[in-house]
Amino acid sequence: MIAFFSPGQFVKHPGKPDWGIGQVQSAIADRVTVNFQHAGKQLIIASIVELEGLSDQELQEMQKKAFGED
């Protein structure tokens, strides 16, 4: 299943957790360009890799974890 993403949306790559949080830069058909914290800009083929959209709560939790806040 191909999910639809919008520029500015925050995502994570399920197979690359070390890439950190990514922000969608563009999405055209099944090609999604994402700028990840620790991997930079990556072109993801959404028909092959199912990116996971982050809710506001998940985003806040991941940011706290990344910055060592409890």
Side-chain angles (χ1 to χ4, degrees):
M1 177 180 160
I2 297 176
F4 294 95
F5 296 98
S6 302
Q9 184 176 1
F10 291 97
V11 296
K12 62 182 176 179
H13 187 303
K16 304 282 186 178
D18 56 318
W19 285 9
I21 298 168
Q23 187 173 30
V24 175
Q25 304 297 295
S26 66
I28 301 170
D30 70 339
R31 298 199 170 12
V32 184
T33 302
V34 182
N35 191 18
F36 288 95
Q37 286 175 305
H38 306 295
K41 194 177 285 187
Q42 302 291 325
L43 176 62
I44 306 296
I45 309 301
S47 60
I48 298 172
V49 175
E50 288 192 37
L51 293 171
E52 298 175 6
L54 297 176
S55 68
D56 289 339
Q57 182 178 354
E58 289 173 313
L59 178 60
Q60 289 174 358
E61 288 172 7
M62 287 184 78
Q63 287 174 329
K64 284 181 183 178
K65 194 180 211 182
F67 293 105
E69 301 173 15
D70 286 327

